[in-house]
Short mmCIF file of all heavy atoms in Angstrom, two decimals:
data_model
loop_
_atom_site.label_atom_id
_atom_site.label_comp_id
_atom_site.label_asym_id
_atom_site.label_seq_id
_atom_site.Cartn_x
_atom_site.Cartn_y
_atom_site.Cartn_z
N MET A 1 166.20 96.03 125.07
CA MET A 1 166.27 94.98 126.09
C MET A 1 164.89 94.37 126.30
O MET A 1 163.87 95.03 126.26
CB MET A 1 166.77 95.57 127.41
CG MET A 1 168.23 95.96 127.37
SD MET A 1 169.31 94.56 127.08
CE MET A 1 169.02 93.61 128.57
N TYR A 2 164.93 93.09 126.55
CA TYR A 2 163.68 92.38 126.82
C TYR A 2 163.80 91.64 128.14
O TYR A 2 164.88 91.28 128.59
CB TYR A 2 163.38 91.39 125.70
CG TYR A 2 163.07 92.06 124.40
CD1 TYR A 2 164.08 92.47 123.55
CD2 TYR A 2 161.76 92.30 124.03
CE1 TYR A 2 163.80 93.10 122.35
CE2 TYR A 2 161.47 92.93 122.84
CZ TYR A 2 162.49 93.33 122.00
OH TYR A 2 162.20 93.94 120.82
N LYS A 3 162.64 91.39 128.74
CA LYS A 3 162.64 90.70 130.01
C LYS A 3 161.69 89.52 129.96
O LYS A 3 160.53 89.66 129.55
CB LYS A 3 162.23 91.66 131.13
CG LYS A 3 162.39 91.06 132.51
CD LYS A 3 162.09 92.11 133.57
CE LYS A 3 162.32 91.57 134.97
NZ LYS A 3 162.05 92.58 136.00
N CYS A 4 162.17 88.37 130.36
CA CYS A 4 161.34 87.17 130.35
C CYS A 4 160.31 87.25 131.46
O CYS A 4 160.62 87.60 132.59
CB CYS A 4 162.24 85.94 130.52
SG CYS A 4 161.30 84.41 130.61
N LEU A 5 159.08 86.91 131.12
CA LEU A 5 158.02 87.00 132.12
C LEU A 5 158.01 85.78 133.02
O LEU A 5 157.30 85.73 134.00
CB LEU A 5 156.67 87.15 131.43
CG LEU A 5 156.50 88.47 130.67
CD1 LEU A 5 155.11 88.52 130.05
CD2 LEU A 5 156.71 89.66 131.59
N ASN A 6 158.77 84.77 132.66
CA ASN A 6 158.79 83.55 133.46
C ASN A 6 159.89 83.59 134.51
O ASN A 6 159.62 83.46 135.70
CB ASN A 6 158.98 82.34 132.55
CG ASN A 6 158.83 81.05 133.32
OD1 ASN A 6 158.11 81.00 134.31
ND2 ASN A 6 159.50 80.01 132.88
N CYS A 7 161.12 83.79 134.08
CA CYS A 7 162.24 83.77 135.03
C CYS A 7 162.67 85.18 135.39
O CYS A 7 163.39 85.37 136.36
CB CYS A 7 163.41 82.97 134.45
SG CYS A 7 164.08 83.66 132.94
N GLY A 8 162.23 86.16 134.61
CA GLY A 8 162.51 87.55 134.97
C GLY A 8 163.91 88.00 134.61
O GLY A 8 164.36 89.03 135.08
N LYS A 9 164.58 87.23 133.76
CA LYS A 9 165.93 87.62 133.38
C LYS A 9 165.90 88.50 132.14
O LYS A 9 165.02 88.36 131.29
CB LYS A 9 166.78 86.38 133.11
CG LYS A 9 167.10 85.61 134.38
CD LYS A 9 168.03 84.47 134.07
CE LYS A 9 168.36 83.70 135.34
NZ LYS A 9 169.27 82.57 135.08
N GLU A 10 166.88 89.38 132.05
CA GLU A 10 166.95 90.27 130.90
C GLU A 10 167.54 89.53 129.71
O GLU A 10 168.56 88.85 129.83
CB GLU A 10 167.80 91.48 131.23
CG GLU A 10 167.15 92.36 132.29
CD GLU A 10 167.99 93.58 132.58
OE1 GLU A 10 169.12 93.65 132.08
OE2 GLU A 10 167.52 94.47 133.30
N VAL A 11 166.87 89.67 128.59
CA VAL A 11 167.28 88.93 127.40
C VAL A 11 167.51 89.90 126.26
O VAL A 11 166.69 90.77 126.00
CB VAL A 11 166.21 87.90 126.99
CG1 VAL A 11 166.66 87.12 125.77
CG2 VAL A 11 165.89 86.97 128.15
N GLU A 12 168.64 89.73 125.60
CA GLU A 12 168.90 90.56 124.44
C GLU A 12 168.49 89.80 123.18
O GLU A 12 169.01 88.74 122.90
CB GLU A 12 170.38 90.92 124.37
CG GLU A 12 170.80 91.84 125.50
CD GLU A 12 172.25 92.25 125.36
OE1 GLU A 12 172.88 91.76 124.41
OE2 GLU A 12 172.72 93.03 126.18
N VAL A 13 167.54 90.36 122.46
CA VAL A 13 167.03 89.68 121.29
C VAL A 13 167.08 90.62 120.09
O VAL A 13 166.65 91.75 120.17
CB VAL A 13 165.57 89.22 121.51
CG1 VAL A 13 165.03 88.57 120.25
CG2 VAL A 13 165.51 88.25 122.68
N ASP A 14 167.62 90.12 119.02
CA ASP A 14 167.63 90.90 117.79
C ASP A 14 166.46 90.46 116.93
O ASP A 14 166.46 89.39 116.36
CB ASP A 14 168.94 90.68 117.03
CG ASP A 14 170.09 91.32 117.79
OD1 ASP A 14 169.85 92.30 118.51
OD2 ASP A 14 171.22 90.83 117.66
N LEU A 15 165.46 91.32 116.86
CA LEU A 15 164.27 90.96 116.10
C LEU A 15 164.53 90.97 114.60
O LEU A 15 163.76 90.43 113.82
CB LEU A 15 163.13 91.93 116.44
CG LEU A 15 162.65 91.85 117.88
CD1 LEU A 15 161.54 92.86 118.12
CD2 LEU A 15 162.13 90.46 118.20
N LYS A 16 165.62 91.60 114.22
CA LYS A 16 165.93 91.67 112.80
C LYS A 16 166.44 90.33 112.29
O LYS A 16 166.20 89.95 111.15
CB LYS A 16 166.97 92.75 112.55
CG LYS A 16 166.42 94.15 112.85
CD LYS A 16 167.50 95.20 112.58
CE LYS A 16 166.97 96.60 112.89
NZ LYS A 16 168.01 97.62 112.68
N THR A 17 167.17 89.65 113.15
CA THR A 17 167.78 88.39 112.72
C THR A 17 166.88 87.21 113.04
O THR A 17 166.79 86.27 112.27
CB THR A 17 169.15 88.21 113.40
OG1 THR A 17 168.97 88.25 114.81
CG2 THR A 17 170.13 89.28 112.98
N SER A 18 166.23 87.28 114.18
CA SER A 18 165.39 86.15 114.57
C SER A 18 163.97 86.63 114.86
O SER A 18 163.77 87.56 115.64
CB SER A 18 165.98 85.45 115.80
OG SER A 18 166.03 86.35 116.87
N LYS A 19 163.01 86.01 114.23
CA LYS A 19 161.63 86.41 114.46
C LYS A 19 161.06 85.79 115.72
O LYS A 19 160.16 86.33 116.34
CB LYS A 19 160.77 86.01 113.26
CG LYS A 19 161.11 86.79 112.00
CD LYS A 19 160.21 86.39 110.87
CE LYS A 19 160.55 87.18 109.60
NZ LYS A 19 159.70 86.76 108.47
N LYS A 20 161.59 84.64 116.07
CA LYS A 20 161.09 83.97 117.26
C LYS A 20 161.82 84.47 118.48
O LYS A 20 163.04 84.48 118.55
CB LYS A 20 161.29 82.46 117.14
CG LYS A 20 160.42 81.84 116.06
CD LYS A 20 160.64 80.34 116.01
CE LYS A 20 159.76 79.70 114.92
NZ LYS A 20 159.99 78.24 114.84
N VAL A 21 161.04 84.92 119.43
CA VAL A 21 161.62 85.42 120.67
C VAL A 21 161.45 84.37 121.76
O VAL A 21 160.35 84.14 122.24
CB VAL A 21 160.96 86.74 121.10
CG1 VAL A 21 161.59 87.23 122.39
CG2 VAL A 21 161.09 87.77 120.01
N ILE A 22 162.55 83.76 122.11
CA ILE A 22 162.50 82.73 123.14
C ILE A 22 163.58 83.01 124.18
O ILE A 22 164.71 83.32 123.83
CB ILE A 22 162.73 81.33 122.53
CG1 ILE A 22 161.62 81.02 121.52
CG2 ILE A 22 162.77 80.28 123.62
CD1 ILE A 22 161.81 79.70 120.81
N CYS A 23 163.21 82.89 125.42
CA CYS A 23 164.17 83.09 126.50
C CYS A 23 165.23 81.98 126.47
O CYS A 23 164.89 80.80 126.49
CB CYS A 23 163.45 83.09 127.84
SG CYS A 23 164.58 83.23 129.24
N PRO A 24 166.49 82.35 126.39
CA PRO A 24 167.57 81.35 126.34
C PRO A 24 167.77 80.64 127.67
O PRO A 24 168.44 79.61 127.73
CB PRO A 24 168.80 82.19 125.96
CG PRO A 24 168.49 83.56 126.45
CD PRO A 24 166.99 83.72 126.32
N PHE A 25 167.21 81.17 128.71
CA PHE A 25 167.42 80.59 130.03
C PHE A 25 166.39 79.50 130.34
O PHE A 25 166.74 78.42 130.82
CB PHE A 25 167.36 81.68 131.11
CG PHE A 25 168.40 82.73 130.92
CD1 PHE A 25 168.08 83.94 130.33
CD2 PHE A 25 169.71 82.51 131.32
CE1 PHE A 25 169.04 84.93 130.14
CE2 PHE A 25 170.69 83.48 131.14
CZ PHE A 25 170.35 84.68 130.55
N CYS A 26 165.13 79.80 130.06
CA CYS A 26 164.08 78.84 130.43
C CYS A 26 163.26 78.40 129.23
O CYS A 26 162.46 77.48 129.32
CB CYS A 26 163.18 79.44 131.50
SG CYS A 26 162.27 80.89 130.92
N GLY A 27 163.46 79.07 128.09
CA GLY A 27 162.73 78.68 126.90
C GLY A 27 161.32 79.23 126.83
O GLY A 27 160.52 78.80 126.01
N TYR A 28 161.03 80.18 127.68
CA TYR A 28 159.72 80.79 127.69
C TYR A 28 159.55 81.70 126.47
O TYR A 28 160.48 82.35 126.03
CB TYR A 28 159.54 81.60 128.98
CG TYR A 28 158.10 81.79 129.39
CD1 TYR A 28 157.33 80.69 129.72
CD2 TYR A 28 157.53 83.05 129.47
CE1 TYR A 28 156.01 80.85 130.11
CE2 TYR A 28 156.23 83.22 129.87
CZ TYR A 28 155.47 82.11 130.18
OH TYR A 28 154.18 82.29 130.57
N ARG A 29 158.34 81.71 125.94
CA ARG A 29 158.14 82.43 124.68
C ARG A 29 157.57 83.82 124.86
O ARG A 29 157.44 84.56 123.92
CB ARG A 29 157.20 81.62 123.78
CG ARG A 29 157.84 80.34 123.29
CD ARG A 29 156.92 79.64 122.33
NE ARG A 29 157.52 78.40 121.82
CZ ARG A 29 156.92 77.59 120.97
NH1 ARG A 29 155.71 77.88 120.55
NH2 ARG A 29 157.52 76.50 120.57
N ILE A 30 157.16 84.12 126.06
CA ILE A 30 156.58 85.45 126.29
C ILE A 30 157.62 86.35 126.93
O ILE A 30 158.01 86.16 128.08
CB ILE A 30 155.34 85.35 127.19
CG1 ILE A 30 154.29 84.47 126.53
CG2 ILE A 30 154.78 86.75 127.44
CD1 ILE A 30 153.05 84.26 127.37
N ILE A 31 158.06 87.29 126.14
CA ILE A 31 159.09 88.20 126.63
C ILE A 31 158.60 89.63 126.47
O ILE A 31 158.12 90.02 125.42
CB ILE A 31 160.41 87.98 125.86
CG1 ILE A 31 160.95 86.59 126.18
CG2 ILE A 31 161.43 89.04 126.23
CD1 ILE A 31 162.25 86.28 125.44
N LYS A 32 158.72 90.36 127.52
CA LYS A 32 158.23 91.73 127.51
C LYS A 32 159.36 92.70 127.19
O LYS A 32 160.47 92.57 127.69
CB LYS A 32 157.63 92.08 128.87
CG LYS A 32 157.03 93.47 128.93
CD LYS A 32 156.43 93.73 130.30
CE LYS A 32 155.81 95.13 130.36
NZ LYS A 32 155.24 95.41 131.69
N LYS A 33 159.03 93.66 126.37
CA LYS A 33 160.03 94.65 126.00
C LYS A 33 160.12 95.72 127.08
O LYS A 33 159.12 96.29 127.48
CB LYS A 33 159.66 95.28 124.66
CG LYS A 33 160.72 96.22 124.15
CD LYS A 33 160.33 96.75 122.79
CE LYS A 33 161.43 97.66 122.23
NZ LYS A 33 161.07 98.18 120.90
N ILE A 34 161.32 95.96 127.53
CA ILE A 34 161.51 96.97 128.55
C ILE A 34 162.38 98.10 128.01
O ILE A 34 163.22 97.88 127.15
CB ILE A 34 162.14 96.38 129.82
CG1 ILE A 34 163.49 95.75 129.48
CG2 ILE A 34 161.21 95.36 130.45
CD1 ILE A 34 164.22 95.24 130.69
N ARG A 35 162.14 99.26 128.54
CA ARG A 35 162.92 100.41 128.09
C ARG A 35 164.11 100.62 129.01
O ARG A 35 163.98 100.57 130.23
CB ARG A 35 162.05 101.66 128.10
CG ARG A 35 160.94 101.62 127.07
CD ARG A 35 160.16 102.92 127.12
NE ARG A 35 159.06 102.92 126.14
CZ ARG A 35 158.21 103.93 126.01
NH1 ARG A 35 158.31 104.98 126.81
NH2 ARG A 35 157.26 103.88 125.11
N PRO A 36 165.25 100.87 128.42
CA PRO A 36 166.42 101.20 129.24
C PRO A 36 166.26 102.56 129.87
O PRO A 36 165.46 103.39 129.42
CB PRO A 36 167.57 101.20 128.23
CG PRO A 36 166.91 101.50 126.92
CD PRO A 36 165.54 100.86 127.00
N VAL A 37 167.00 102.77 130.89
CA VAL A 37 166.90 104.04 131.61
C VAL A 37 167.46 105.15 130.74
O VAL A 37 168.61 105.12 130.32
CB VAL A 37 167.66 103.98 132.94
CG1 VAL A 37 167.60 105.33 133.65
CG2 VAL A 37 167.08 102.87 133.82
N VAL A 38 166.62 106.13 130.49
CA VAL A 38 167.04 107.24 129.63
C VAL A 38 167.47 108.42 130.49
O VAL A 38 166.71 108.90 131.33
CB VAL A 38 165.89 107.66 128.69
CG1 VAL A 38 166.34 108.84 127.85
CG2 VAL A 38 165.47 106.49 127.82
N LEU A 39 168.67 108.83 130.25
CA LEU A 39 169.18 109.96 131.00
C LEU A 39 168.81 111.26 130.29
O LEU A 39 169.07 111.42 129.11
CB LEU A 39 170.69 109.87 131.15
CG LEU A 39 171.19 108.65 131.94
CD1 LEU A 39 172.70 108.65 131.95
CD2 LEU A 39 170.65 108.67 133.36
N LYS A 40 168.19 112.12 131.04
CA LYS A 40 167.80 113.39 130.46
C LYS A 40 168.96 114.38 130.49
O LYS A 40 169.63 114.53 131.51
CB LYS A 40 166.61 113.98 131.22
CG LYS A 40 165.34 113.17 131.06
CD LYS A 40 164.20 113.84 131.81
CE LYS A 40 162.92 113.02 131.65
NZ LYS A 40 161.80 113.63 132.40
N LYS A 41 169.15 114.97 129.36
CA LYS A 41 170.22 115.97 129.30
C LYS A 41 169.69 117.32 129.72
O LYS A 41 168.73 117.85 129.15
CB LYS A 41 170.78 116.06 127.89
CG LYS A 41 171.53 114.80 127.47
CD LYS A 41 172.11 114.97 126.08
CE LYS A 41 172.86 113.70 125.67
NZ LYS A 41 173.41 113.84 124.30
N VAL A 42 170.32 117.86 130.72
CA VAL A 42 169.88 119.15 131.22
C VAL A 42 170.95 120.19 130.96
O VAL A 42 172.09 120.04 131.39
CB VAL A 42 169.58 119.08 132.74
CG1 VAL A 42 169.18 120.47 133.24
CG2 VAL A 42 168.49 118.06 133.01
N HIS A 43 170.57 121.18 130.25
CA HIS A 43 171.52 122.24 129.98
C HIS A 43 171.44 123.31 131.07
O HIS A 43 170.44 123.99 131.21
CB HIS A 43 171.24 122.89 128.63
CG HIS A 43 171.44 121.94 127.50
ND1 HIS A 43 172.69 121.63 127.01
CD2 HIS A 43 170.58 121.20 126.78
CE1 HIS A 43 172.56 120.77 126.03
NE2 HIS A 43 171.30 120.49 125.86
N ALA A 44 172.48 123.40 131.83
CA ALA A 44 172.50 124.38 132.92
C ALA A 44 173.13 125.68 132.41
O ALA A 44 174.22 125.67 131.87
CB ALA A 44 173.28 123.84 134.11
N ARG A 45 172.41 126.73 132.65
CA ARG A 45 172.96 128.02 132.24
C ARG A 45 173.36 128.84 133.44
O ARG A 45 172.59 128.90 134.40
CB ARG A 45 171.93 128.79 131.42
CG ARG A 45 171.70 128.15 130.07
CD ARG A 45 170.70 128.99 129.25
NE ARG A 45 170.48 128.39 127.94
CZ ARG A 45 169.59 128.86 127.06
NH1 ARG A 45 168.87 129.93 127.35
NH2 ARG A 45 169.45 128.27 125.90
ZN1 ZN B 101 163.10 82.97 130.99
#
């Protein structure tokens, strides 16, 4: 997941298919990569 630094909306970008990362909402070119929330697996004994 990526987040636009201009409008702050989450943008899904496939870097494999498209090299240019542009926000589809505002056309901003600077998009920050954000990490999804990772759930930790806890093994309870
Ligand atoms: Zn944007």
Side-chain angles (χ1 to χ4, degrees):
M1 290 297 295
Y2 293 84
K3 188 174 184 180
C4 177
L5 294 181
N6 187 28
C7 62
K9 290 184 180 180
E10 294 182 351
V11 181
E12 293 183 357
V13 177
D14 291 332
L15 295 179
K16 294 180 180 178
T17 57
S18 61
K19 293 182 180 178
K20 293 182 180 178
V21 180
I22 298 177
C23 177
F25 300 100
C26 64
Y28 205 63
R29 291 184 179 179
I30 300 177
I31 294 179
K32 183 179 181 181
K33 186 177 183 180
I34 58 176
R35 293 181 180 178
V37 178
V38 178
L39 297 177
K40 293 181 180 178
K41 292 183 180 179
V42 178
H43 295 281
R45 290 182 179 176

